[in-house]
Amino acid sequence: MILTLLAFVFGYACGSIPFGLILTTLAGAGNLRAIGSGNIGATNVLRTGRKDLAAATLLLDAAKAALPVLVVSFIASRRLSPMDAWPPAPVLAVALGAFVGHIFPVWLGFKGGKGVATFLGALLAVSWPAGLAFMAVWLAVAFLTRYSSLSALTASAATPVVLWLLGQQGAAIVFAAMAALIFFKHAANISRLRAGTESRIGKA
C-alpha cells in the first residue's frame, strides 16, 4: 500500500511538469495560457506557429508518463513472484498519477491539459500492444473523419476493451477511469462535434 501511494505521488510529480508552457516560454513564443484554448498541450502549442515546439511537447508529455511507469515497473518486478498478476498496483498507480498530474497540475491551479499524449505514454509503458492499438484506432478515425478530438475520444474509449481482451483487467479499469477524464476534458470538443463546428485536422 505504501509503495502504491508513493508511486502515485511520484507519477503525479512527473506528470504535472507543464512542458508545453515551459518550452513556449523559453522559446519566447508567447504566453501559452493566453493563446487559443489556453491549454498546455501540444495542440495549443501548435497554435503558436511553432511545429517544432508542438512536436517536442507531444513527446515530452508522453515521456513524463512512460518513464515513471518504466521505473516503477522495474522496481515492482524485483519484488514480485512470477505468479503475481501484471501490472501490479504500484505500476497502475504511477500511470494514473502521471495522467492526473498532467490534467490537474498543482503548479497551474489544477488547470492542465487534456491528457491524450500522457495517456498514450502511460499506456505504451504499461502494455505496448494496447498502446499500438490506441495509435491504430487514432490514425484510422483521423483518416476517415479528419477530427483529432474524435480520434482521441474513440481511441481512449477503445483502450479499456483492448486491455480487457489482453487479460489485463486491472489496467482496463484504471484506463477506463482515465478515458472518462479525457471525455470530461473534451466536453467543449464534444459539443462542437455535435454541432458540426469542430475544426478538422489541417484546417483552422
Side-chain angles (χ1 to χ4, degrees):
M1 182 61 70
I2 294 178
L3 180 58
T4 299
L5 179 59
L6 290 175
F8 179 86
V9 173
F10 173 53
Y12 181 88
C14 294
S16 64
I17 301 173
F19 283 115
L21 186 61
I22 293 172
L23 291 175
T24 51
T25 300
L26 291 177
N31 180 8
L32 190 60
R33 304 300 270 176
I35 296 172
S37 64
N39 197 281
I40 62 171
T43 300
N44 204 44
V45 173
L46 188 59
R47 294 189 177 101
T48 66
R50 293 290 301 271
K51 294 181 179 179
D52 56 337
L53 295 181
T57 299
L58 180 67
L59 292 174
L60 289 171
D61 280 350
K64 70 183 183 182
L67 292 179
V69 170
L70 292 175
V71 169
V72 174
S73 294
F74 175 77
I75 295 172
S77 67
R78 312 277 291 187
R79 300 169 61 93
L80 297 176
S81 72
M83 299 301 294
D84 289 326
W86 190 269
V91 172
L92 296 177
V94 72
L96 179 61
F99 179 74
V100 171
H102 177 76
I103 292 181
F104 304 114
V106 63
W107 328 110
L108 300 177
F110 302 103
K111 297 178 181 179
K114 295 181 179 179
V116 178
T118 308
F119 181 98
L120 176 58
L123 182 60
L124 284 168
V126 169
S127 175
W128 64 264
L132 293 180
F134 177 100
M135 291 188 287
V137 172
W138 194 100
L139 289 171
V141 176
F143 177 78
L144 292 172
T145 69
R146 310 300 294 175
Y147 287 124
S148 177
S149 58
L150 182 60
S151 302
L153 291 167
T154 305
S156 61
T159 294
V161 177
V162 173
L163 288 167
W164 193 276
L165 293 175
L166 290 172
Q168 296 180 313
Q169 284 76 18
I173 294 171
V174 171
F175 277 89
M178 292 163 64
L181 282 174
I182 285 182
F183 271 73
F184 170 74
K185 293 292 289 186
H186 281 78
N189 300 87
I190 293 172
S191 295
R192 289 194 295 270
L193 284 168
R194 288 175 172 172
T197 58
E198 178 74 326
S199 297
R200 295 179 185 269
I201 297 172
K203 296 183 179 180

